Amino acid sequence: MLNLKTAITASLLTLCVVNTNAQNTVQEEEERELGYKPQPYYFIQVQAGASTQFTDVNAFKILHPTFSVAVGGMFSPSFGARLHFNGFRQGGGFKQDDVIAKYGYNYINSNVDLMLNLCNVFTDKNYSKFNLFLLGGVGLNYAWNNDEFETLQNTSWTNGYDLSNAWGDKQNTRNSLLGHNLRVGVLADYNISKHFSLGVEVDLNSLDDKFNSKYNNSDDWMITAQLSGTYKFGFKKAGAKAKEPEDLRRKPKGPIWRRPLREIFFYEISESDPNHEESLNNIILWLNHHKDKTVTVEGYADKDTGNPELNQKYSEERANKVADLLRNKGVSDDQINIKAYGDTVQPFSQNDKNRCVIVTCDL
């Protein structure tokens, strides 16, 4: 039973390591393509649209313009926060039969919103053109300039309405119109460049009962829909792409035996049989001129496939089979030093090239 538990635990740990390595590779490739790290970053946001309330008057009858500004940042691919200010004009009304008496007032909301990027939660990627944010926040609201309501307050329009707490705390004064605001919303955002994005945001706000000056012993509800423009900044530079060995990019001139030996055998996935006759011949030619030298045969496997145990096995098989070919060509065991690293060492920045054997020796 203990062995079974140990095996399961080891398998889960291996899966986590492989998944993390794959995720890191995907993100590194993204950064190299973009030329910068897409996370973290900071932003300034401006918005404009319309707002309305859910009350006994049709919501479209009391539609008003609204504007917002926000500052914040995305601190990881999935999570961020912002300080958001929204306000301008809102209204309510009284209804008698099919006739409506409307009134308007000014307001401002200040909220701290948490942001969850749903497009990055279930993926290894850090960047996508389109992003969908789930928003949730809490803050304070202030309303003022209720003169139109005050005009209606003692008329027949208000019959049947409880206005005893119209200004809050049973005080007939505008000084008590400060209240809470709770918010949930969604923001659909599209990146048009590194620094700019356009989007649409819809928020549902739960405001203090005093917000619309009518008292019904429950929170007032307001919905806002706005177009959004965002300027993003503070991106970090992508890590420099690892340089590949000089002899992969440009072969030195002159006979092969006049330079240090470095020959590379590349493999497909799950392959361990070498098929690079030219590299093998170069090694034999080099050793014919340096009979006192010992070559090092190093086997590798790539991190993006398999698991550490399997990759160690492949790296050993690859190194041993190259060594066997050298022995068949007359190279003695004393001239061969075999090493196998599995996927613990990645000699190349390009993942597929790490399925390889590298044979080296200094002059």
Side-chain angles (χ1 to χ4, degrees):
M1 187 65 180
L2 181 60
N3 290 336
L4 178 58
K5 289 182 178 179
T6 302
I8 294 174
T9 302
S11 300
L12 290 175
L13 289 174
T14 300
L15 182 61
C16 290
V17 170
V18 172
N19 183 63
T20 301
N21 290 335
Q23 182 176 8
N24 290 339
T25 302
V26 169
Q27 294 173 357
E28 289 169 1
E29 287 297 327
E30 276 184 335
E31 293 171 7
R32 284 196 287 268
E33 290 179 7
L34 293 171
Y36 63 93
K37 294 184 178 182
Q39 312 288 342
Y41 66 84
Y42 303 97
F43 62 83
I44 299 173
Q45 195 172 62
V46 292
Q47 299 173 315
S51 66
T52 189
Q53 276 196 272
F54 298 116
T55 180
D56 49 352
V57 176
N58 188 296
F60 290 101
K61 299 290 186 180
I62 52 175
L63 201 64
H64 288 80
T66 191
F67 304 94
S68 299
V69 62
V71 293
M74 289 299 297
F75 310 118
S76 75
S78 301
F79 296 99
R82 70 180 183 182
L83 179 61
H84 188 268
F85 296 92
N86 162 249
F88 182 51
R89 195 73 175 160
Q90 188 46 249
F94 298 98
K95 183 178 180 180
Q96 293 181 0
D97 298 325
D98 294 329
V99 183
I100 297 173
K102 296 186 292 184
Y103 60 92
Y105 50 90
N106 297 106
Y107 78 96
I108 185 169
N109 285 332
S110 60
N111 266 65
V112 176
D113 295 326
L114 298 181
M115 307 174 66
L116 176 65
N117 189 344
L118 299 178
C119 293
N120 288 342
V121 172
F122 305 108
T123 179
D124 294 337
K125 294 184 177 182
N126 273 348
Y127 176 85
S128 61
K129 280 284 189 179
F130 174 81
N131 295 283
L132 183 65
F133 295 93
L134 179 63
L135 308 169
V138 60
L140 295 174
N141 168 271
Y142 185 74
W144 73 98
N145 196 19
N146 287 37
D147 293 340
E148 293 178 4
F149 174 85
E150 192 172 17
T151 301
L152 293 170
Q153 189 173 9
N154 297 315
T155 67
S156 61
W157 287 102
T158 63
N159 292 338
Y161 290 90
D162 182 0
L163 304 181
S164 61
N165 197 37
W167 306 105
D169 299 329
K170 301 186 183 299
Q171 300 175 30
N172 190 19
T173 171
R174 300 190 184 110
N175 294 330
S176 58
L177 290 179
L178 183 67
H180 69 259
N181 180 43
L182 306 176
R183 169 185 296 157
V184 293
V186 291
L187 168 62
D189 197 57
Y190 185 81
N191 290 309
I192 59 175
S193 70
K194 174 182 178 181
H195 293 289
F196 292 96
S197 65
L198 297 176
V200 177
E201 180 173 337
V202 178
D203 296 322
L204 183 64
N205 299 271
S206 178
L207 301 126
D208 196 284
D209 191 23
K210 66 187 76 173
F211 175 67
N212 67 0
S213 299
K214 293 192 296 185
Y215 178 65
N216 62 357
N217 202 28
S218 65
D219 275 11
D220 295 327
W221 293 90
M222 179 178 68
I223 187 170
T224 61
Q226 301 179 91
L227 298 177
S228 174
T230 304
Y231 172 71
K232 305 173 182 180
F233 61 96
F235 296 102
K236 295 181 180 180
K237 293 182 179 179
K241 185 175 182 178
K243 292 184 178 180
E244 294 181 349
E246 180 69 21
D247 66 318
L248 280 184
R249 291 179 280 118
R250 184 178 69 253
K251 289 285 186 181
K253 295 180 180 179
I256 187 174
W257 59 85
R258 291 185 181 176
R259 60 180 185 262
L261 175 66
R262 184 179 176 88
E263 292 294 330
I264 305 174
F265 299 78
F266 293 108
Y267 300 83
E268 297 298 326
I269 294 175
S270 302
E271 185 181 69
S272 60
D273 294 321
N275 55 6
H276 305 276
E277 192 67 26
E278 181 181 355
S279 294
L280 185 64
N281 291 336
N282 287 340
I283 297 170
I284 300 303
L285 179 62
W286 194 92
L287 285 172
N288 287 338
H289 287 79
H290 304 281
K291 296 183 182 299
D292 59 332
K293 295 292 186 179
T294 298
V295 297
T296 300
V297 181
E298 299 174 317
Y300 300 90
D302 69 292
K303 281 187 175 182
D304 274 9
T305 54
N307 57 59
E309 290 79 9
L310 187 60
N311 288 338
Q312 181 65 34
K313 170 180 171 288
Y314 277 121
S315 68
E316 292 174 1
E317 288 181 358
R318 290 163 181 166
N320 286 327
K321 287 185 178 181
V322 170
D324 288 341
L325 285 176
L326 294 177
R327 294 187 189 101
N328 293 337
K329 294 285 186 176
V331 180
S332 68
D333 286 339
D334 294 339
Q335 287 183 280
I336 303 173
N337 181 27
I338 301 174
K339 297 181 180 180
Y341 297 99
D343 59 18
T344 61
V345 177
Q346 301 287 272
F348 301 110
S349 60
Q350 186 174 337
N351 179 72
D352 289 350
K353 288 185 177 181
N354 292 310
R355 298 187 293 270
C356 67
V357 168
I358 303 177
V359 181
T360 59
C361 186
D362 293 329
L363 287 175

